[in-house]
Amino acid sequence: LAKTTQPISMDSYEGQEVNITCSHNNIATNDYITWYQQFPSQGPRFIIQGYKTKVTNEVASLFIPADRKSSTLSLPRVSLSDTAVYYCLVGERLNSGYSTLTFGKGTMLLVSP
Amino acid sequence: EAGVTQFPSHSVIEKGQTVTLRCDPISGHDNLYWYRRVMGKEIKFLLHFVKESKQDESGMPNNRFLAERTGGTYSTLKVQPAELEDSGVYFCASSPRGGAYEQYFGPGTRLTVT
């Protein structure tokens, strides 16, 4: 059973706001929601993390409803360079007691001129 | 500040040979993780170090894979002997103490086993 579900792909034009929604129905009480971005031939890059309500940084905003069963990554005024795969992740608790990341298939965002 | 570096960027070896991948984490990061993506699949966790101590290797596919982290600094991942299904991209990531979710990834090593 996938921990997260998100669209396989999305298309947008430059200058538009893009919202990518992720479902995580079985999120644990102490899990954080984290989003990563990955360009071809590069490793994933941390974008934003949140637990509840809204988080904003210089790159994106993350909206989390009260039930925390979903989250929405919002990218304001995208540019061509935002074309990438975006991953929504919730934590995975290891037997060691530490946590790591579990990657799903991600959402391929294509930004066109 | 230097990011996570990995060496080599690409390695092509024959089945049965040995390959050693290296990862240099960000200085001062206690946590070091190895992940890999095989063809068409998601990125999968392999193992986790805290300093020089191997905390969890539940994602290691089999005993042909051996990871070490000398002195809590750089880490190596050895595959011996390599099989065709080991082909993929191997990522290393590091994070400071307590920073399990904000990990800094290296560019990856693409391993091709022929």
Side-chain angles (χ1 to χ4, degrees):
Chain A
L1 181 66
K3 298 189 75 172
T4 61
T5 303
Q6 53 185 122
I8 294 173
S9 66
M10 295 181 71
D11 292 344
S12 179
Y13 292 105
E14 280 190 292
Q16 290 187 328
E17 177 184 77
V18 171
N19 296 307
I20 306 175
T21 297
C22 175
S23 298
H24 26 79
N25 292 315
N26 299 315
I27 188 169
T29 302
N30 56 353
D31 273 345
Y32 279 75
I33 299 147
T34 311
W35 285 79
Y36 277 74
Q37 173 192 57
Q38 186 178 26
F39 299 111
S41 301
Q42 293 186 25
R45 183 176 75 101
F46 173 88
I47 301 176
I48 197 166
Q49 175 182 293
Y51 184 79
K52 61 180 179 180
T53 62
K54 177 183 175 182
V55 180
T56 297
N57 62 22
E58 65 278 5
V59 177
S61 294
L62 179 60
F63 299 91
I64 305 169
D67 66 6
R68 302 197 337 114
K69 293 184 182 300
S70 67
S71 60
T72 299
L73 175 73
S74 180
L75 305 172
R77 298 178 299 280
V78 294
S79 64
L80 297 178
S81 62
D82 292 318
T83 292
V85 178
Y86 292 82
Y87 295 97
C88 163
L89 306 99
V90 297
E92 176 180 350
R93 183 74 63 179
L94 300 168
N95 290 334
S96 61
Y98 288 92
S99 296
T100 188
L101 302 173
T102 299
F103 286 86
K105 298 184 187 302
T107 297
M108 175 65 222
L109 172 65
L110 175 62
V111 181
S112 301
Chain B
E1 177 184 295
V4 176
T5 58
Q6 294 186 243
F7 181 83
S9 57
H10 190 188
S11 178
V12 182
I13 61 172
E14 292 183 342
K15 175 182 172 180
Q17 289 186 322
T18 297
V19 64
T20 300
L21 313 181
R22 174 171 169 141
C23 168
D24 285 83
I26 293 174
S27 178
H29 279 191
D30 288 348
N31 294 299
L32 188 148
Y33 308 82
W34 282 97
Y35 297 84
R36 77 169 181 178
R37 189 213 306 270
V38 296
M39 181 79 76
K41 304 286 188 176
E42 293 96 42
I43 298 171
K44 294 290 190 185
F45 165 82
L46 294 179
L47 82 158
H48 170 222
F49 286 97
V50 175
K51 297 184 179 179
E52 70 279 2
S53 176
K54 197 177 298 182
Q55 293 298 319
D56 192 295
E57 52 183 343
S58 59
M60 295 284 259
N62 51 60
N63 59 9
R64 294 186 292 103
F65 289 74
L66 174 64
E68 296 179 323
R69 188 180 183 190
T70 306
T73 55
Y74 70 92
S75 175
T76 58
L77 179 63
K78 179 189 290 188
V79 186
Q80 178 182 29
E83 298 289 345
L84 297 179
E85 64 265 24
D86 300 332
S87 295
V89 181
Y90 290 76
F91 293 103
C92 173
S94 71
S95 68
R97 186 182 308 172
Y101 300 119
E102 185 174 352
Q103 298 179 17
Y104 296 80
F105 281 76
T109 291
R110 179 173 296 279
L111 174 64
T112 302
V113 182
T114 63

